[in-house]
Amino acid sequence: MAKPKVFEKPTGLKDYLPDAVAKLRQIERDVLSCMSGWGYEQMITPTLEYYDTVGVASSTSDAKLFKLLNHRGQTLVLRSDMTAPIARVVSSLLKATDFPLRLSYHANIFRAFEEEAGRDAEFFQTGVELVGDPSPEADAEIVALAVASLKAAGVSRFKIAIGHVGFLKGLLDETLPDQEEEQSQLKACLLGRDYVGYREQLRQLSLEEHVRQELEYILRLRGGQEICEQAMKLSSNESAQASIRHLCEVWDALVEYGVSEHVLIDLTMIGDFSYYTGMTFEGYASDHGFPVASGGRYDNLLSQFGRPAPATGFAMKTNRILELLSYGEDTGGERVLIAYDRAGRAEALAEAQRLRAEGVTVVTERMGIGFTPPVQANGCYKYGGTVYSDFHRFDGQKRKEAASNE
Amino acid sequence: MAKPKVFEKPTGLKDYLPDAVAKLRQIERDVLSCMSGWGYEQMITPTLEYYDTVGVASSTSDAKLFKLLNHRGQTLVLRSDMTAPIARVVSSLLKATDFPLRLSYHANIFRAFEEEAGRDAEFFQTGVELVGDPSPEADAEIVALAVASLKAAGVSRFKIAIGHVGFLKGLLDETLPDQEEEQSQLKACLLGRDYVGYREQLRQLSLEEHVRQELEYILRLRGGQEICEQAMKLSSNESAQASIRHLCEVWDALVEYGVSEHVLIDLTMIGDFSYYTGMTFEGYASDHGFPVASGGRYDNLLSQFGRPAPATGFAMKTNRILELLSYGEDTGGERVLIAYDRAGRAEALAEAQRLRAEGVTVVTERMGIGFTPPVQANGCYKYGGTVYSDFHRFDGQKRKEAASNE
């Protein structure tokens, strides 16, 4: 195996230069501040977790987990989501704290093999978990907070598609009873938004024509509240109907949150985590193919950590939002370069301190051998790779000579 | 091997609950803002790096690196410092950017096996690198910025001990020529601040009495600028003398920075990284055994990444500062709980939105089955695990009934 070159980093991993970091930090700060305003308090959990606990509960496929052994021979994973680690904390360190719990996070997340699809193997998520509340209002709060968070991040045009895993499950159990493999194939098509493949699958199954039409009809179940009424007629399965009733109540609350213009019901939505048990949603920015936020209800995950409780939450895909937003303009304030010689140093450093206390960014440089004075252009000064709004020279030696010549 | 219990996390790793996170985030924000005021721009590098490049350059012993294999069979490491990754970026992505470069970071760092010493296997560092400037002024800037950063973090009483790896190297080469093992043993004692062991080692070596006295005398070389004069007399070795001259110039600049009250010269200081080549320093908070900041000059590291350049920098040990500072008081502002029934919901949600826009933290709760009203105490309201400054009820149903009874 050829050794990597000295300047290389592993594939799928990124360096973020100052302009990108400034923007990423701004998104992080604004979104966490928004979440804090809704009463969500921030947590930090370790990057490494046990494979047998959080690794398994995270429902990330084994091939996508970064695994390593500790010196005791236990398998550790780099966290592949934050929902499972927070479920662990809620069941241990926060065991004695009453529900409902509102927790937030900003964290880096890891998925091995993603680089093969051109995706990041390490990326950032900013999200919340609302634990202990089974109500449609709790789901609506999460969706409304996702809307507020996307706005806080600076995303102006987006849609959130909400669905319910129980609807599709009920419909498929009714129309394709005990045909698990066929059900899985159809679900996989919907998860990948491969509607052509979905129709193809339906044609290949030996279904009565009215059943095939029913299953094809769900592709058209996208829209506002009227979708709930249409879906109610489509299936008499009890689970499917209960799911639609829950979704209607979420919708009603979203109308009262004043965010329904951003939301549409999409009953083909099933969510990308196997632990979802109820409402799920994905947020799409206009003209952007990948979801920028996703979430849903997971009422069975907490019981895996010994404290059964209903829960709902979402994560914003912070990197994708970073890609959406333009950056590059220096949003910082005044930036001053101060150059000095040995005799002018004390005065120069004092001036730098004074300006910094006023909030000005100040770089100080000794004018030694190799010092190249800044280049002036457009009223600014370019020095090194940086542009400065002002340049001061503290030439103590020259001043002294001038004084003694007088 | 027994499986870990569901609620367990790997040893040496921590969960941070909201009070600790709030404080940690505040330190992070204040220190990065201070660094930004000195012209240092923030970078983010990946958590994972190649073992053969950054892993080796980091000078962390192999046993202390968390290692894993990627699916191509390459060995990756969890970063064990930020200096080597930044050296990699300076030599690749920033290759065309002129020196001097001023870069900052806040990052989590990993050291395997640390948990055996009761230390964290994952911890936070906030630091800077100044690349491309060999002058004593550059070293002084780093020390002065360390002073400013510790103050920004809220540490009020601390001392920074500065030394120079070249002084001890010169002195030992003069007194114990070609005795590498003996030199290493003595250095190990000084690194561990084991002065008793150092004296013991000296006694066991067959040294002329005046040499033994010279080597023992360095333990007393701690203090202000007078230490430089004493050290100059101690060794006539050229490397030792050049090191002291450099340190004197750093001291002079620190006096002009106005921070010398926080600094002492300590010639037993050699720094805990093998890549240090010049001045090194450690910052100690009063009554705290471990260093809270450390740094130094590393003029040979960049050449390992193909862009030879002098460099100097420091890292603040953010977790230790978190331990130093008291926290627990809620520094947040107003926090309001709004409870509603179905008929009062629209009004309640609108009020929540209005208050949040004013900067108030608002939690909304549906008064359904299982809702327990908050407990009032000391003018506050306790609900779940949280204390609220105010509580509003939007009882729409009752109000409607009251209205219809009139």
Side-chain angles (χ1 to χ4, degrees), chain A residues 1-11 13-18 21 24-25 28-29 32 36-39 41-50 52-53 66-68 71-74 76 78 88-89 91-94 97-100 102-103 106 108 110 113 115-116 122 124 133 137 141 249 252-253 256-257 304-306 335 340 342 345-346 349 353 356 360-366 383-386, chain B residues 1-11 13-18 21 24-25 28-29 32 36-39 41-50 52-53 66-68 71-74 76 78 88-89 91-94 97-100 102-103 106 108 110 113 115-116 122 124 133 137 141 249 252-253 256-257 304-306 335 340 342 345-346 349 353 356 360-366 383-386:
Chain A
M1 163 111 14
K3 281 195 176 187
K5 302 216 166 54
V6 288
F7 53 79
E8 284 181 332
K9 57 182 168 17
T11 40
L13 297 166
K14 266 188 191 164
D15 294 314
Y16 296 84
L17 293 180
V21 175
L24 189 65
R25 289 296 211 160
E28 175 190 338
R29 197 170 52 239
L32 286 170
S36 165
W38 290 54
E41 296 191 294
Q42 210 185 141
M43 285 218 41
I44 296 177
T45 68
T47 303
L48 294 163
E49 296 272 1
Y50 282 128
D52 282 321
T53 62
F66 277 106
K67 287 184 216 162
L68 63 158
H71 63 287
R72 298 174 195 192
Q74 294 161 312
L76 309 182
L78 299 186
R88 175 182 58 67
V89 176
S91 311
S92 52
L93 217 50
L94 291 174
T97 309
D98 288 341
F99 292 140
R102 287 177 171 81
L103 298 166
H106 172 83
N108 49 345
F110 300 83
F113 283 97
E115 74 266 32
E116 305 212 326
E122 175 179 12
F124 295 96
D133 188 339
E137 275 85 1
E141 175 171 324
E249 290 189 54
D252 285 346
E256 293 186 358
Y257 269 107
Q304 292 189 46
F305 292 93
R335 174 180 286 268
Y340 58 85
R342 178 66 188 81
R345 190 174 66 188
L349 296 178
Q353 190 170 14
R356 281 177 193 137
V360 178
T361 295
V362 183
V363 167
T364 62
E365 286 289 347
R366 167 115 190 218
Y383 178 73
T386 313
Chain B
M1 165 108 15
K3 283 197 174 185
K5 301 217 165 56
V6 288
F7 53 80
E8 284 180 333
K9 57 185 170 11
T11 40
L13 297 166
K14 266 188 192 163
D15 294 314
Y16 296 84
L17 292 181
V21 176
L24 190 66
R25 288 296 210 162
E28 174 190 339
R29 195 169 53 239
L32 287 170
S36 166
W38 290 55
E41 296 191 294
Q42 210 184 142
M43 284 217 42
I44 296 177
T45 68
T47 303
L48 294 163
E49 296 271 2
Y50 281 127
D52 282 323
T53 62
F66 277 107
K67 288 184 214 159
L68 63 158
H71 63 287
R72 297 172 195 192
Q74 294 162 312
L76 309 182
L78 299 187
R88 174 182 59 66
V89 177
S91 310
S92 52
L93 216 50
L94 291 174
T97 310
D98 289 340
F99 292 140
R102 286 176 170 82
L103 298 166
H106 173 82
N108 48 345
F110 301 83
F113 283 97
E115 72 267 31
E116 306 212 328
E122 175 178 13
F124 296 96
D133 188 338
E137 275 86 0
E141 175 171 325
E249 291 189 54
D252 285 347
E256 292 186 357
Y257 269 107
Q304 292 190 45
F305 292 95
R335 174 179 287 267
Y340 58 84
R342 179 68 189 81
R345 189 173 67 188
L349 296 178
Q353 190 170 14
R356 281 176 193 137
V360 178
T361 295
V362 184
V363 167
T364 62
E365 286 289 348
R366 167 114 191 221
Y383 178 74
T386 314

Side-chain angles (χ1 to χ4, degrees), chain A residues 306-353:
Chain A
R307 192 184 180 189
T312 179
F314 85 94
M316 211 166 83
K317 297 168 197 306
T318 325
N319 289 64
R320 289 193 185 145
I321 289 170
L322 179 66
E323 288 162 22
L324 278 180
L325 304 173
S326 61
Y327 59 89
E329 328 99 75
D330 193 347
T331 51
E334 220 182 323
R335 174 180 286 268
V336 173
L337 177 66
I338 291 181
Y340 58 85
D341 63 7
R342 178 66 188 81
R345 190 174 66 188
E347 212 184 329
L349 296 178
E351 174 67 1
Q353 190 170 14

Side-chain angles (χ1 to χ4, degrees), chain B residues 143 146-147 150 158-162 262-265 281-284:
Chain B
V143 175
V147 170
L150 286 169
F158 58 89
K159 280 282 179 197
I160 288 185
I162 64 173
H262 294 286
V263 184
L264 62 90
I265 293 173
F281 70 92
E282 283 186 343
Y284 288 85

